[in-house]
Amino acid sequence: MPENSHESVASHTVPHGPEADRPTFWTRTRRRIGEPVVEACIRLSGLAVVAFVFLIFLFLLKDSLSLFREYPLGQFLFGTQWLPISDPPQFGVVPLLLGSLYVTAWAILICVPLGVGSAMFISEVAPKHLKNVLKSLIEILASIPSVVLGFLGIIWLAPVLRNTFGLSTGMCGLTGSLLLAFMALPTIISISEDALTGVPRTYREAAYGLGATRWQTLWRIVLPSASSGILAAVMLGIGRVVGETMVVLMVTGNAPVMPRSILQPLRTLTATIAGEMGETVGGSEHYFALFAVGLVLFAITFAINFVADLFLRRARK
Amino acid sequence: MEPEAKIETVDLNLHYGAFHALTDVNIRIPARNVTAIIGPSGCGKSTLLRCFNRMNDLVEHTQVQGRIVIDGEDILAPTTDLIALRRKVGMVFQRPNVFALSIYNNLKFGLRIHGMLSRADQIRETVRQGLEQVGLWDDLKDRLGLNAQSLTLEQQQRLCIARVLILRPDVILLDEPCSALDPIATLRVEELLRVLRQEYTLIIVTHNMQQAARVADFTGFMYLGRLIEFDDTQKIFTNPGQQLTEDYIRGSFG
Ligand SMILES: Nc1ncnc2c1ncn2[C@@H]1O[C@H](COP(=O)(O)OP(=O)(O)O)[C@@H](O)[C@H]1O
Ligand SMILES: [Mg+2]
């Protein structure tokens, strides 16, 4: 009987009585064999994930290091020219790094205030029916494939930007930033909105009870209380922006040159790998150079995740 | 013989949607005293209390009829300045609802929203006085940067009272302020209320009759949205005028 007590979860739908409480053959077998097996499976899948990440890293490292046997590391890291098919080839990663930095930074600059602002509007200001409409609209936005966005960028956004800023081409960094911002918005809005809605009602009551206006309550009490959730939303949004390839490959002009302005064609790390991998010969210097670019990307995303984690942990305290 | 009325309601009725929560409440609450509102759970005590600083405005589909006069002014009038009203009529809630901010910033928030901020040293002085009034200063003076939510529940509730006090209110509404506290903390908070009654009009909702008997000068008994009886606490507990009150006091129901 005593060892039966922890079975109550499994048998709570069964009518109670002496019959129901006696373990059947099946439950006894399951207890003896099932639990260790399930436990082993869970442990195995956990280990597999760690192993995969480690293997990917090793793979990247191995092929990248092949580059540095022929091409100096310093020249790769600090070189300002990316000319993979000239003679001799140049594999300076700086223009690509800056391209990624420009596009990402502008995308963040655009989507964070817009996203958090929209979340504030939806959770605090919008009447109930508008709130529901907006929330489903945002869900639809999130499901637009990035290729479609890139296509819209080429045929609509790029000409608009060209005319507005008087550029020679609309296929530039800003086009990419705007589209990336658009892609990150649904994540940022919906998670920030959850965080704002999750702030206990008692905080608002306390603030109103002291005579605060809606704006003061929102700005000084609700927003700070939701800050860790909002930070998580922003980090996830940024994660989406940094890792995105398709859109930037399509609309930023594909020019691996040192960018001096966001209104200029440029190229990002991700676009370079995706764009050039098909043209290289396996095992060539160029091929290994692309792996080195991948390693740089890996290092960056790792660093971002690390910092995000640090932030979140501190915010939670 | 009765002191001047600080708050007076005239035929106050309140509906939550179709639900009639307050029916023809006429109450005169004297200034600078402790008034207790007692009655069984769900009889409308909190609802009545929340009328006095118009917190019910925050609840959708609420309709209020009648008059609530505070210092000669009908606070239900559309021209009422809600911000000034809530400064003058402060509220302490059932569960201590300190903000997830530092102790210092919990107090500073109220000062800021009412434009009572002056020089930093004056704010500090105001904060010190507030904490001293509620007996927290000696314990917390070196820890004002601490998150207020790490305090004990009693300390949090005292902080909530201080948060109201530093805004220099006339009236303080307390909605079962001790229900989250242990008996000893409850007695200590009651002591604080007895000190505060010399300067403020206190209205405390409680379903604990002993508490009403201990702290209140006047007591109102409510039942099913009506104010059944209002009188000296002494009289209510020893010689009530209504059978219903007597039954409740004797513990026959509720
Ligand atoms: N927001 C609301 N909407 C609808 N009914 C409510 C609401 N708040 C309270 N009530 C109802 O009004 C009655 C009085 O509530 P309340 O004033 O909180 O009672 P008490 O504080 O005396 O326990 C209860 O029956 C409660 O169910
Ligand atoms: Mg109540």
Side-chain angles (χ1 to χ4, degrees):
Chain A
M1 274 313 271
E3 63 159 353
N4 230 8
S5 56
H6 70 272
E7 272 296 287
S8 61
V9 175
S11 62
H12 76 281
T13 51
V14 182
H16 285 288
E19 285 299 306
D21 280 352
R22 195 185 309 139
T24 62
F25 169 75
W26 175 232
T27 45
R28 255 180 290 134
T29 321
R30 197 174 53 188
R31 201 179 308 151
R32 206 173 309 129
I33 303 173
E35 306 250 331
V37 169
V38 170
E39 206 178 301
C41 283
I42 292 172
R43 187 162 300 169
L44 203 70
S45 52
L47 283 176
V49 171
V50 176
F52 284 143
V53 173
F54 192 65
L55 282 177
I56 290 172
F57 178 70
L58 275 188
F59 187 64
L60 272 176
L61 198 64
K62 173 183 140 293
D63 280 356
S64 309
L65 289 180
S66 309
L67 173 74
F68 302 130
R69 237 179 274 132
E70 297 154 46
Y71 194 84
L73 175 65
Q75 220 165 318
F76 172 76
L77 285 181
F78 303 111
T80 56
Q81 283 186 308
W82 181 267
L83 300 168
I85 44 176
S86 66
D87 193 27
Q90 298 281 332
F91 299 115
V93 82
V94 175
L96 312 179
L97 205 60
L98 281 183
S100 279
L101 196 75
Y102 268 58
V103 173
T104 311
W106 275 87
I108 293 169
L109 230 57
I110 296 164
C111 71
V112 169
L114 214 60
V116 176
S118 310
M120 278 161 65
F121 176 77
I122 292 176
S123 78
E124 307 292 326
V125 184
K128 207 168 262 169
H129 56 277
L130 185 62
K131 186 182 289 197
N132 293 336
V133 172
L134 286 175
K135 282 177 91 166
S136 21
L137 216 78
I138 284 160
E139 256 162 55
I140 295 173
L141 279 192
S143 61
I144 301 177
S146 55
V147 180
V148 175
L149 278 181
F151 185 62
L152 284 176
I154 294 173
I155 61 162
W156 177 75
L157 187 58
V160 168
L161 286 183
R162 193 188 58 212
N163 293 337
T164 333
F165 293 101
L167 308 171
S168 54
T169 170
M171 309 284 274
C172 65
L174 187 60
T175 316
S177 300
L178 281 170
L179 291 178
L180 287 184
F182 195 73
M183 291 181 57
L185 270 180
T187 313
I188 295 185
I189 295 175
S190 61
I191 296 179
S192 304
E193 204 257 327
D194 283 348
L196 289 170
T197 313
V199 172
R201 207 173 54 91
T202 57
Y203 290 13
R204 293 169 216 263
E205 237 179 12
Y208 289 128
L210 289 169
T213 60
R214 181 146 80 171
W215 175 247
Q216 287 166 332
T217 305
L218 178 57
W219 186 248
R220 299 206 176 275
I221 302 299
V222 177
L223 211 58
S225 310
S227 60
S228 67
I230 292 176
L231 214 63
V234 168
M235 288 299 175
L236 284 170
I238 292 176
R240 177 127 201 235
V241 166
V242 173
E244 174 55 34
T245 312
M246 207 58 228
V247 160
V248 289
L249 185 65
M250 288 168 78
V251 302
T252 54
N254 260 329
V257 293
M258 290 292 285
R260 257 167 282 106
S261 148
I262 191 69
L263 293 172
Q264 189 189 323
L266 45 75
R267 197 158 78 188
T268 63
L269 295 162
T270 51
T272 303
I273 300 173
E276 294 182 4
M277 196 46 101
E279 305 161 8
T280 59
V281 183
S284 69
E285 210 180 355
H286 188 189
Y287 176 84
F288 290 133
L290 292 182
F291 273 95
V293 171
L295 190 65
V296 171
L297 200 59
F298 185 88
I300 292 173
T301 35
F302 186 81
I304 289 176
N305 280 333
F306 186 73
V307 172
D309 210 54
L310 223 64
F311 262 119
L312 284 179
R313 210 163 291 178
R314 184 169 313 161
R316 220 170 280 143
K317 260 187 207 154
Chain B
M1 87 184 210
E2 214 173 79
E4 56 176 317
K6 184 75 183 173
I7 302 179
E8 182 170 3
T9 69
V10 182
D11 294 335
L12 183 66
N13 279 272
L14 185 142
H15 293 258
Y16 291 119
F19 180 72
H20 200 165
L22 294 179
T23 312
D24 296 332
V25 174
N26 290 288
I27 194 170
R28 295 189 70 212
I29 292 173
R32 287 173 212 274
N33 270 303
V34 180
T35 297
I37 311 278
I38 60 170
S41 174
C43 69
K45 306 182 294 293
S46 299
T47 303
L48 179 63
L49 199 68
R50 291 163 61 94
C51 282
F52 297 149
N53 68 348
R54 298 225 353 223
M55 283 301 278
N56 285 321
D57 285 20
L58 302 177
V59 182
E60 274 179 89
H61 311 298
T62 311
Q63 282 174 14
V64 190
Q65 290 106 27
R67 296 203 301 146
I68 304 173
V69 181
I70 301 183
D71 287 337
E73 276 181 62
D74 184 1
I75 62 157
L76 293 179
T79 51
T80 302
D81 178 356
L82 277 187
I83 292 168
L85 173 69
R86 287 174 184 161
R87 191 189 68 70
K88 180 167 145 178
V89 184
M91 185 153 202
V92 176
F93 296 81
Q94 192 162 357
R95 285 201 66 80
N97 54 3
V98 298
F99 304 123
L101 303 171
S102 68
I103 297 167
Y104 189 75
N105 283 333
N106 260 277
L107 294 169
K108 195 172 156 192
F109 176 74
L111 298 176
R112 167 177 268 139
I113 60 180
H114 291 291
M116 294 164 79
L117 283 188
S118 33
R119 295 205 319 276
D121 54 335
Q122 289 172 328
I123 302 172
R124 278 199 85 78
E125 178 57 21
T126 310
V127 166
R128 186 186 64 78
Q129 285 173 4
L131 289 176
E132 261 177 4
Q133 264 185 299
V134 297
L136 283 179
W137 176 253
D138 289 335
D139 284 346
L140 300 182
K141 60 172 181 265
D142 303 319
R143 297 185 284 157
L144 296 182
L146 207 70
N147 189 324
Q149 292 183 328
S150 61
L151 299 174
T152 66
L153 282 177
E154 180 194 351
Q155 287 175 322
Q156 289 188 29
Q157 196 62 301
R158 282 173 185 264
L159 183 60
C160 289
I161 297 174
R163 203 166 59 178
V164 168
L165 286 178
I166 61 171
L167 301 181
R168 312 243 143 267
D170 288 356
V171 181
I172 303 175
L173 312 173
L174 303 116
D175 191 349
E176 305 195 26
C178 300
S179 62
L181 306 184
D182 63 62
I184 291 176
T186 300
L187 287 178
R188 285 201 295 247
V189 169
E190 285 173 8
E191 227 162 82
L192 171 63
L193 298 184
R194 272 200 294 273
V195 174
L196 292 175
R197 72 178 273 275
Q198 290 156 14
E199 276 185 75
Y200 305 91
T201 303
L202 301 174
I203 308 173
I204 178 171
V205 158
T206 175
H207 61 228
N208 177 339
M209 277 179 285
Q210 286 76 35
Q211 181 168 56
R214 282 192 302 260
V215 299
D217 305 293
F218 297 91
T219 297
F221 169 63
M222 289 186 69
Y223 187 63
L224 296 181
R226 292 174 190 274
L227 182 69
I228 303 298
E229 189 170 355
F230 185 87
D231 216 322
D232 276 7
T233 302
Q234 189 77 34
K235 173 122 190 322
I236 292 273
F237 280 95
T238 52
N239 185 21
Q242 303 284 327
Q243 185 61 40
L244 212 52
T245 314
E246 196 176 337
D247 291 346
Y248 182 68
I249 304 275
R250 281 213 321 264
S252 307
F253 68 92

